Amino acid sequence: MRGKLMIGNWKMNGSLAANASLLTDLLADSVDVYCRSAVCVPSLYLAQMQSLLTGTSIALGAQDVSAHEDGAYTGEVSATMLRDFAVRYCIVGHSERRQYHAESDMLVASKAQRALAAGITPIVCVGESLAEREAGQTEVVVKRQLAAVIHANGHCISEIVVAYEPVWAIGTGLTATPEQAQKVHAVLRAQLQVATAHADRVSILYGGSMNAANAADLLAQTDVDGGLIGGAALKAPDFLSMLKTASR
Ligand code: PGA
């Protein structure tokens, strides 16, 4: 059994004071939370969050990593640097990075490779835009995005986490229906099965306006193994409610 995995993606939100307060509220009510969980925080706050999360059941995650090992790459953060702060997960290929930083499938695959080499689990995001969905391209797009990562990381592909995040659902309040999510998750699972005998170990998360009200129905789907949660992860009562739903 994979067990559920719930990840909060804080994006570019927070401050020293706000992070500490959010964490205090999350930890104050963690009875009935048994699922695996993590928060992916801005790099600047990794040190703060490392010390606040030590000894808790919430793991630490980053939101991006450089595709390079080290050297003259101003502004970038390497996988080994993340490892210094006990980072366990790292999002790669989030649609906001693909869109605003022109990240290609190949670059995302290299980032996943760097994370794996440093012992960090990459959370590989895939997802179609609204135009692609309407053109009937959903499966082609997500399979192309995942294929690049499989190609670059074949031998250890069962060590990744995949997040299906339809771009039209991110931060919009529109959510894929449980059936729409399951359909794409099943496609991704089948693609992983061709690449590895251990595809059943790979957690495939859903992301895109997941919230306390819709989490149960999404998480009830066979191939939905958890969530990558943006906005709702910034509100302690909402995130806690989702962690508890995932723990049932
Ligand atoms: P959202 O973001 O939950 O606010 O839609 C999810 C994500 O982008 O990871």
Side-chain angles (χ1 to χ4, degrees):
M1 270 304 289
R2 291 180 290 274
K4 300 286 191 238
L5 172 61
M6 301 294 276
I7 309 240
N9 173 12
W10 288 6
K11 309 195 180 187
M12 199 174 73
N13 293 292
S15 65
L16 288 172
N19 303 344
S21 143
L22 178 53
L23 239 286
T24 306
D25 292 348
L26 285 179
L27 297 171
D29 183 20
S30 52
V31 201
D32 299 332
V33 175
Y34 308 108
C35 65
R36 292 174 293 148
S37 65
V39 286
C40 294
V41 309
S43 298
L44 272 178
Y45 296 124
L46 287 172
Q48 178 201 19
M49 296 310 292
Q50 180 191 17
S51 86
L52 291 177
L53 291 173
T54 300
T56 77
S57 59
I58 304 176
L60 182 57
Q63 299 176 8
D64 186 30
V65 65
S66 175
H68 305 285
E69 196 169 356
D70 55 24
Y73 301 101
T74 303
E76 299 219 20
V77 172
S78 76
T80 46
M81 292 172 188
L82 295 180
R83 195 63 237 171
D84 263 350
F85 293 89
V87 165
R88 175 101 175 274
Y89 298 97
C90 180
I91 297 172
V92 297
H94 191 281
S95 66
E96 287 150 17
R97 301 237 24 119
R98 292 181 191 262
Q99 187 180 346
Y100 305 134
H101 300 267
E103 293 197 2
S104 66
D105 295 340
M106 263 180 59
L107 182 73
V108 173
S110 303
K111 290 184 171 197
Q113 209 168 14
R114 287 289 172 210
L116 285 166
I120 293 168
T121 303
I123 301 164
V124 177
C125 298
V126 300
E128 82 288 2
S129 66
L130 186 57
E132 288 163 340
R133 173 162 283 268
E134 287 174 349
Q137 293 294 302
T138 300
E139 289 187 19
V140 173
V141 170
V142 298
K143 285 175 81 171
R144 188 202 69 223
Q145 292 171 332
L146 183 58
V149 178
I150 291 174
H151 182 72
N153 297 278
H155 59 292
C156 45
I157 201 66
S158 62
E159 307 300 317
I160 71 169
V161 166
V162 177
Y164 169 53
E165 298 206 308
V167 178
W168 48 271
I170 295 176
T172 57
L174 297 172
T175 317
T177 63
E179 296 72 28
Q180 284 173 326
Q182 169 57 28
K183 198 171 165 206
V184 177
H185 283 228
V187 165
L188 296 169
R189 179 90 58 209
Q191 188 178 5
L192 289 164
Q193 268 155 357
V194 175
T196 169
H198 305 297
D200 283 353
R201 284 191 207 154
V202 179
S203 293
I204 307 180
L205 315 181
Y206 170 79
S209 298
M210 196 189 235
N211 59 39
N214 61 29
D217 287 343
L218 287 159
L219 293 171
Q221 302 301 308
T222 317
D223 289 295
V224 177
D225 304 315
L228 181 55
I229 302 133
L234 296 170
K235 298 175 211 139
D238 294 37
F239 194 51
L240 271 172
S241 153
M242 296 162 87
L243 292 177
K244 288 177 187 181
T245 299
S247 300
R248 282 190 210 125

